[in-house]
mmCIF file of all heavy atoms in Angstrom:
data_model
loop_
_atom_site.group_PDB
_atom_site.id
_atom_site.type_symbol
_atom_site.label_atom_id
_atom_site.label_comp_id
_atom_site.label_asym_id
_atom_site.label_seq_id
_atom_site.Cartn_x
_atom_site.Cartn_y
_atom_site.Cartn_z
ATOM 1 N N GLY A 351 -31.187 10.202 11.953
ATOM 2 C CA GLY A 351 -30.850 9.048 11.137
ATOM 3 C C GLY A 351 -32.043 8.474 10.400
ATOM 4 O O GLY A 351 -33.193 8.683 10.787
ATOM 5 N N MET A 352 -31.759 7.739 9.347
ATOM 6 C CA MET A 352 -32.810 7.066 8.577
ATOM 7 C C MET A 352 -33.358 5.878 9.374
ATOM 8 O O MET A 352 -32.706 5.355 10.279
ATOM 9 C CB MET A 352 -32.249 6.584 7.234
ATOM 10 C CG MET A 352 -31.206 5.496 7.379
ATOM 11 S SD MET A 352 -30.627 4.859 5.789
ATOM 12 C CE MET A 352 -29.504 6.152 5.282
ATOM 13 N N ARG A 353 -34.546 5.453 9.016
ATOM 14 C CA ARG A 353 -35.175 4.306 9.674
ATOM 15 C C ARG A 353 -35.528 3.263 8.619
ATOM 16 O O ARG A 353 -36.620 3.286 8.042
ATOM 17 C CB ARG A 353 -36.437 4.744 10.423
ATOM 18 C CG ARG A 353 -36.155 5.679 11.593
ATOM 19 C CD ARG A 353 -37.434 6.165 12.264
ATOM 20 N NE ARG A 353 -37.133 7.053 13.372
ATOM 21 C CZ ARG A 353 -36.964 6.666 14.638
ATOM 22 N NH1 ARG A 353 -37.084 5.373 14.942
ATOM 23 N NH2 ARG A 353 -36.707 7.536 15.588
ATOM 24 N N PRO A 354 -34.620 2.331 8.358
ATOM 25 C CA PRO A 354 -34.900 1.298 7.360
ATOM 26 C C PRO A 354 -36.051 0.402 7.804
ATOM 27 O O PRO A 354 -36.346 0.298 9.008
ATOM 28 C CB PRO A 354 -33.590 0.495 7.285
ATOM 29 C CG PRO A 354 -32.566 1.357 7.917
ATOM 30 C CD PRO A 354 -33.291 2.184 8.941
ATOM 31 N N PRO A 355 -36.712 -0.261 6.865
ATOM 32 C CA PRO A 355 -37.755 -1.207 7.259
ATOM 33 C C PRO A 355 -37.157 -2.384 8.034
ATOM 34 O O PRO A 355 -35.974 -2.683 7.915
ATOM 35 C CB PRO A 355 -38.343 -1.667 5.921
ATOM 36 C CG PRO A 355 -37.286 -1.366 4.914
ATOM 37 C CD PRO A 355 -36.560 -0.167 5.418
ATOM 38 N N LYS A 356 -37.996 -3.066 8.813
ATOM 39 C CA LYS A 356 -37.522 -4.218 9.565
ATOM 40 C C LYS A 356 -37.095 -5.330 8.603
ATOM 41 O O LYS A 356 -37.727 -5.554 7.576
ATOM 42 C CB LYS A 356 -38.613 -4.739 10.496
ATOM 43 C CG LYS A 356 -38.954 -3.794 11.631
ATOM 44 C CD LYS A 356 -40.019 -4.396 12.532
ATOM 45 C CE LYS A 356 -40.367 -3.444 13.677
ATOM 46 N NZ LYS A 356 -41.396 -4.010 14.578
ATOM 47 N N GLY A 357 -36.031 -6.007 8.937
ATOM 48 C CA GLY A 357 -35.557 -7.097 8.095
ATOM 49 C C GLY A 357 -34.068 -7.317 8.294
ATOM 50 O O GLY A 357 -33.433 -6.670 9.132
ATOM 51 N N GLU A 358 -33.517 -8.237 7.537
ATOM 52 C CA GLU A 358 -32.080 -8.501 7.603
ATOM 53 C C GLU A 358 -31.548 -8.758 6.204
ATOM 54 O O GLU A 358 -32.277 -9.202 5.316
ATOM 55 C CB GLU A 358 -31.774 -9.672 8.529
ATOM 56 C CG GLU A 358 -32.373 -11.005 8.119
ATOM 57 C CD GLU A 358 -32.031 -12.102 9.109
ATOM 58 O OE1 GLU A 358 -32.617 -12.123 10.202
ATOM 59 O OE2 GLU A 358 -31.162 -12.931 8.776
ATOM 60 N N ILE A 359 -30.271 -8.487 6.036
ATOM 61 C CA ILE A 359 -29.640 -8.613 4.721
ATOM 62 C C ILE A 359 -28.194 -9.044 4.890
ATOM 63 O O ILE A 359 -27.553 -8.697 5.889
ATOM 64 C CB ILE A 359 -29.724 -7.260 3.953
ATOM 65 C CG1 ILE A 359 -29.365 -7.417 2.482
ATOM 66 C CG2 ILE A 359 -28.836 -6.217 4.603
ATOM 67 C CD1 ILE A 359 -30.444 -8.017 1.658
ATOM 68 N N TYR A 360 -27.725 -9.858 3.948
ATOM 69 C CA TYR A 360 -26.287 -10.161 3.875
ATOM 70 C C TYR A 360 -25.836 -9.882 2.455
ATOM 71 O O TYR A 360 -26.403 -10.420 1.499
ATOM 72 C CB TYR A 360 -25.988 -11.618 4.229
ATOM 73 C CG TYR A 360 -24.516 -11.966 4.048
ATOM 74 C CD1 TYR A 360 -23.573 -11.579 4.996
ATOM 75 C CD2 TYR A 360 -24.071 -12.647 2.921
ATOM 76 C CE1 TYR A 360 -22.229 -11.865 4.833
ATOM 77 C CE2 TYR A 360 -22.729 -12.940 2.750
ATOM 78 C CZ TYR A 360 -21.805 -12.554 3.708
ATOM 79 O OH TYR A 360 -20.471 -12.835 3.531
ATOM 80 N N VAL A 361 -24.852 -9.021 2.314
ATOM 81 C CA VAL A 361 -24.325 -8.662 0.996
ATOM 82 C C VAL A 361 -22.821 -8.891 1.000
ATOM 83 O O VAL A 361 -22.121 -8.407 1.897
ATOM 84 C CB VAL A 361 -24.648 -7.196 0.645
ATOM 85 C CG1 VAL A 361 -23.939 -6.784 -0.634
ATOM 86 C CG2 VAL A 361 -26.156 -7.000 0.492
ATOM 87 N N ALA A 362 -22.343 -9.644 0.022
ATOM 88 C CA ALA A 362 -20.909 -9.942 -0.093
ATOM 89 C C ALA A 362 -20.360 -9.311 -1.369
ATOM 90 O O ALA A 362 -21.012 -9.345 -2.422
ATOM 91 C CB ALA A 362 -20.678 -11.448 -0.113
ATOM 92 N N THR A 363 -19.195 -8.728 -1.273
ATOM 93 C CA THR A 363 -18.505 -8.160 -2.433
ATOM 94 C C THR A 363 -17.088 -8.722 -2.496
ATOM 95 O O THR A 363 -16.577 -9.250 -1.502
ATOM 96 C CB THR A 363 -18.458 -6.622 -2.353
ATOM 97 O OG1 THR A 363 -17.829 -6.233 -1.121
ATOM 98 C CG2 THR A 363 -19.848 -6.025 -2.422
ATOM 99 N N GLU A 364 -16.468 -8.577 -3.653
ATOM 100 C CA GLU A 364 -15.112 -9.090 -3.871
ATOM 101 C C GLU A 364 -14.107 -7.981 -3.581
ATOM 102 O O GLU A 364 -13.799 -7.157 -4.442
ATOM 103 C CB GLU A 364 -14.954 -9.600 -5.303
ATOM 104 C CG GLU A 364 -13.652 -10.317 -5.573
ATOM 105 C CD GLU A 364 -13.569 -11.699 -4.938
ATOM 106 O OE1 GLU A 364 -14.615 -12.338 -4.731
ATOM 107 O OE2 GLU A 364 -12.439 -12.141 -4.653
ATOM 108 N N SER A 365 -13.627 -7.931 -2.350
ATOM 109 C CA SER A 365 -12.601 -6.954 -2.013
ATOM 110 C C SER A 365 -11.255 -7.442 -2.560
ATOM 111 O O SER A 365 -11.147 -8.590 -3.010
ATOM 112 C CB SER A 365 -12.517 -6.775 -0.495
ATOM 113 O OG SER A 365 -11.731 -7.785 0.103
ATOM 114 N N PRO A 366 -10.208 -6.615 -2.536
ATOM 115 C CA PRO A 366 -8.901 -7.080 -3.039
ATOM 116 C C PRO A 366 -8.369 -8.317 -2.322
ATOM 117 O O PRO A 366 -7.530 -9.032 -2.865
ATOM 118 C CB PRO A 366 -7.994 -5.867 -2.793
ATOM 119 C CG PRO A 366 -8.907 -4.694 -2.822
ATOM 120 C CD PRO A 366 -10.187 -5.180 -2.221
ATOM 121 N N LYS A 367 -8.848 -8.596 -1.116
ATOM 122 C CA LYS A 367 -8.343 -9.737 -0.343
ATOM 123 C C LYS A 367 -9.296 -10.927 -0.339
ATOM 124 O O LYS A 367 -8.947 -11.989 0.161
ATOM 125 C CB LYS A 367 -8.044 -9.295 1.086
ATOM 126 C CG LYS A 367 -6.876 -8.313 1.136
ATOM 127 C CD LYS A 367 -6.700 -7.711 2.498
ATOM 128 C CE LYS A 367 -5.514 -6.766 2.506
ATOM 129 N NZ LYS A 367 -5.621 -5.669 1.534
ATOM 130 N N GLY A 368 -10.517 -10.759 -0.859
ATOM 131 C CA GLY A 368 -11.459 -11.864 -0.887
ATOM 132 C C GLY A 368 -12.868 -11.413 -0.579
ATOM 133 O O GLY A 368 -13.221 -10.239 -0.779
ATOM 134 N N GLU A 369 -13.689 -12.343 -0.088
ATOM 135 C CA GLU A 369 -15.098 -12.036 0.159
ATOM 136 C C GLU A 369 -15.261 -11.188 1.409
ATOM 137 O O GLU A 369 -14.962 -11.619 2.516
ATOM 138 C CB GLU A 369 -15.911 -13.329 0.307
ATOM 139 C CG GLU A 369 -17.393 -13.059 0.563
ATOM 140 C CD GLU A 369 -18.214 -14.313 0.744
ATOM 141 O OE1 GLU A 369 -17.799 -15.382 0.253
ATOM 142 O OE2 GLU A 369 -19.284 -14.236 1.391
ATOM 143 N N LEU A 370 -15.779 -9.976 1.205
ATOM 144 C CA LEU A 370 -16.078 -9.065 2.305
ATOM 145 C C LEU A 370 -17.588 -8.965 2.414
ATOM 146 O O LEU A 370 -18.255 -8.474 1.499
ATOM 147 C CB LEU A 370 -15.468 -7.685 2.044
ATOM 148 C CG LEU A 370 -15.801 -6.587 3.053
ATOM 149 C CD1 LEU A 370 -15.260 -6.928 4.436
ATOM 150 C CD2 LEU A 370 -15.261 -5.241 2.586
ATOM 151 N N GLY A 371 -18.145 -9.436 3.524
ATOM 152 C CA GLY A 371 -19.594 -9.474 3.672
ATOM 153 C C GLY A 371 -20.083 -8.674 4.859
ATOM 154 O O GLY A 371 -19.441 -8.635 5.908
ATOM 155 N N TYR A 372 -21.247 -8.034 4.674
ATOM 156 C CA TYR A 372 -21.910 -7.292 5.748
ATOM 157 C C TYR A 372 -23.279 -7.918 5.993
ATOM 158 O O TYR A 372 -24.093 -8.013 5.067
ATOM 159 C CB TYR A 372 -22.107 -5.823 5.370
ATOM 160 C CG TYR A 372 -20.835 -5.000 5.374
ATOM 161 C CD1 TYR A 372 -20.011 -4.957 4.254
ATOM 162 C CD2 TYR A 372 -20.461 -4.252 6.491
ATOM 163 C CE1 TYR A 372 -18.850 -4.195 4.245
ATOM 164 C CE2 TYR A 372 -19.315 -3.484 6.493
ATOM 165 C CZ TYR A 372 -18.508 -3.468 5.365
ATOM 166 O OH TYR A 372 -17.366 -2.717 5.366
ATOM 167 N N MET A 373 -23.520 -8.339 7.219
ATOM 168 C CA MET A 373 -24.833 -8.821 7.622
ATOM 169 C C MET A 373 -25.428 -7.782 8.564
ATOM 170 O O MET A 373 -24.841 -7.445 9.601
ATOM 171 C CB MET A 373 -24.726 -10.187 8.314
ATOM 172 C CG MET A 373 -26.073 -10.893 8.515
ATOM 173 S SD MET A 373 -26.970 -10.376 9.986
ATOM 174 C CE MET A 373 -26.049 -11.192 11.276
ATOM 175 N N VAL A 374 -26.587 -7.237 8.184
ATOM 176 C CA VAL A 374 -27.223 -6.174 8.962
ATOM 177 C C VAL A 374 -28.658 -6.592 9.269
ATOM 178 O O VAL A 374 -29.402 -7.003 8.376
ATOM 179 C CB VAL A 374 -27.221 -4.834 8.193
ATOM 180 C CG1 VAL A 374 -27.823 -3.730 9.048
ATOM 181 C CG2 VAL A 374 -25.809 -4.461 7.756
ATOM 182 N N VAL A 375 -29.036 -6.488 10.541
ATOM 183 C CA VAL A 375 -30.404 -6.752 10.984
ATOM 184 C C VAL A 375 -31.007 -5.425 11.438
ATOM 185 O O VAL A 375 -30.431 -4.734 12.278
ATOM 186 C CB VAL A 375 -30.441 -7.780 12.135
ATOM 187 C CG1 VAL A 375 -31.887 -8.018 12.581
ATOM 188 C CG2 VAL A 375 -29.793 -9.085 11.704
ATOM 189 N N SER A 376 -32.161 -5.080 10.864
ATOM 190 C CA SER A 376 -32.835 -3.827 11.208
ATOM 191 C C SER A 376 -34.109 -4.119 11.988
ATOM 192 O O SER A 376 -34.873 -5.014 11.618
ATOM 193 C CB SER A 376 -33.177 -3.042 9.936
ATOM 194 O OG SER A 376 -34.054 -1.968 10.234
#
Side-chain angles (χ1 to χ4, degrees):
M352 66 176 78
R353 294 176 180 269
K356 292 181 180 180
E358 62 181 75
I359 193 77
Y360 175 78
V361 172
T363 56
E364 188 73 27
S365 82
K367 293 171 179 58
E369 180 181 336
L370 175 63
Y372 287 86
M373 192 276 285
V374 183
V375 179
S376 168

